[in-house]
Amino acid sequence: MIGKIHRVPLREVWKHEAFDFTQYLQNNLDVISGVIDLNLVSAEREQAAGDFSVDLVAEDESGNTVVIENQLERSNHDHLGKLITYLAAFGAKAAIWIVPEARPEHVAAVAWLSESSSASFYLLKAEAIKIVSESGESDPAPNITLLVGPSAEAKEIGKKKVELAGRYAERLEFWRSLLVRAKERTRLHSGITPGKENWIGVTASPGKSFLGLNYVIELNRARVELYIDRGFSSGDNEGFFDQLLAHKEEIEAACGTPLSWERLEGKRACRIAWRLEDGGYRSPQEEWPRIQDTLIDAMIRFERALSPHLKRLVAPPAPTLPAEEEVKE
């Protein structure tokens, strides 16, 4: 005979949150350990944290502190704030929040915390169920399931996000200070604002928006470049590239240095670059002015060398389509 599961309101099983539900969890830590990747071995109730008191302070098998906050009502901001406060107050390595119903914004918040923090955050759903069959019904029993918890993948994603945020901030500051220095010497990039990407640029020649005159910065090196990307076909871009390549010696003589001529085979765009290998945005900040001045000087000379040739560029001829074969009757 197979019975049916009936859900029971939590307050029919545990009348009082602190005296009943919290005490039950303290005496039955296995119902929590069974759904997370921690084995909780001891717990104490109502430990003080400033003017507040945490529901449970437990330990895992390694002796790390774990704080547990539980509710008999739908999740709310108050308990989320307390959970974070308790985690910090006790120096805990993990925080567990147990609720009968979680708001979507709290699910997202705990997922973000677990992903972004060095601590582990868990959001658990608590239900009470009983089995009903023709012969009667069982006593109510807890059913606790994991809604959100830490994972190696989430931690790695969080680590990458932190790294990206730091990288974006560094690049933004590098471009901000470069543009300030550049305005003292040239108007080439005076109309743009710094961004978080690894390049900033302007149109290299009036009416030719497919020609980008760019600064590019990497971890430990940098470059100025002419990036050719008309967007229609690689043939168009290669056609413009070849027109400039025909004047390679003249352009490099005006720059005073060899350039990197890159057809970028297999890609749509082409590039002509002046590469600088003596520093990037991860160089010590006291070296940034030197790196920026080198880039600005290269950009000025690069643009002057290319400018007369860019004005003379003509669109490559359209490919000749094969004639349609005569249809024979």
Side-chain angles (χ1 to χ4, degrees):
M1 181 182 300
I2 299 176
K4 295 182 178 180
I5 292 177
H6 281 214
R7 286 175 171 77
V8 182
L10 289 186
R11 286 200 180 273
E12 289 187 13
V13 181
W14 296 287
K15 304 294 184 185
H16 192 279
E17 184 178 298
F19 300 145
D20 299 320
F21 190 37
T22 302
Q23 184 171 350
Y24 172 83
L25 294 172
Q26 180 186 19
N27 296 330
N28 296 273
L29 289 175
D30 57 303
V31 301
I32 302 175
S33 299
V35 296
I36 62 175
D37 56 357
L38 296 176
N39 186 21
L40 303 179
V41 295
S42 66
E44 297 181 5
R45 284 195 297 150
E46 300 297 325
Q47 295 296 301
D51 294 333
F52 304 98
S53 59
V54 61
D55 289 339
L56 291 170
V57 178
E59 289 185 356
D60 63 18
E61 284 187 315
S62 299
N64 296 314
T65 301
V66 179
V67 294
I68 304 171
E69 188 70 4
N70 53 263
Q71 294 179 244
L72 288 174
E73 308 296 341
R74 193 181 188 194
S75 66
N76 56 47
H77 295 344
D78 177 62
H79 279 79
L80 176 58
K82 288 179 179 178
L83 186 74
I84 297 171
T85 301
Y86 300 152
L87 179 88
F90 286 92
K93 296 296 185 182
I96 301 171
W97 189 12
I98 305 173
V99 298
E101 182 183 358
R103 296 176 184 270
E105 57 268 31
H106 293 148
V107 174
V110 173
W112 180 84
L113 286 167
S114 193
E115 177 184 290
S116 306
S117 171
S118 59
S120 296
F121 284 81
Y122 301 83
L123 180 60
L124 308 183
K125 180 176 181 178
E127 297 177 291
I129 60 173
K130 57 184 177 181
I131 309 299
V132 178
S133 65
E134 293 180 2
S135 59
E137 60 183 44
S138 68
D139 291 332
N143 180 43
I144 296 182
T145 54
L146 176 66
L147 296 178
V148 177
S151 68
E153 293 80 6
K155 289 292 185 184
E156 185 62 27
I157 291 171
K159 180 180 177 182
K160 289 185 181 299
K161 286 183 177 179
V162 171
E163 290 175 353
L164 281 175
R167 191 178 304 173
Y168 291 160
E170 285 181 303
R171 290 198 296 237
L172 182 66
E173 179 57 25
F174 184 92
W175 293 136
R176 187 198 65 77
S177 54
L178 179 140
L179 290 173
V180 169
R181 298 178 76 86
K183 284 180 181 180
E184 298 175 358
R185 300 180 57 191
T186 175
R187 298 185 61 185
L188 277 176
H189 292 76
S190 61
I192 64 173
T193 56
K196 65 182 182 181
E197 304 301 333
N198 75 325
W199 67 276
I200 55 174
V202 294
T203 299
S205 183
K208 296 183 174 70
S209 61
F210 57 91
L211 299 175
L213 198 58
N214 304 328
Y215 287 105
V216 183
I217 189 74
E218 299 177 16
L219 292 175
N220 299 298
R221 59 182 183 174
R223 67 178 183 267
V224 297
E225 67 177 18
L226 178 74
Y227 197 75
I228 307 169
D229 186 3
R230 194 175 189 184
F232 297 121
S233 71
S234 60
D236 287 343
N237 299 321
E238 290 171 356
F240 291 119
F241 178 85
D242 289 340
Q243 292 176 58
L244 295 169
L245 184 61
H247 300 278
K248 177 175 183 277
E249 292 184 4
E250 182 182 348
I251 292 170
E252 290 186 342
C255 287
T257 186
L259 302 175
S260 178
W261 298 78
E262 304 168 17
R263 293 178 68 88
L264 302 178
E265 301 291 347
K267 297 185 178 180
R268 188 178 70 188
C270 298
R271 175 194 294 132
I272 304 169
W274 183 337
R275 295 186 174 275
L276 307 168
E277 304 291 339
D278 61 345
Y281 69 87
R282 282 290 170 87
S283 300
Q285 288 202 13
E286 58 267 23
E287 294 186 17
W288 281 11
R290 174 189 60 80
I291 297 168
Q292 291 164 349
D293 286 342
T294 302
L295 278 168
I296 295 164
D297 180 66
M299 177 61 76
I300 292 171
R301 293 161 61 189
F302 188 62
E303 190 273 338
R304 286 175 181 169
L306 285 170
S307 181
H309 304 284
L310 297 179
K311 292 175 182 177
R312 293 195 293 266
L313 286 179
V314 294
T320 303
L321 299 176
E324 295 185 6
E325 293 184 6
E326 182 180 352
V327 178
K328 296 183 180 180
E329 303 240 352

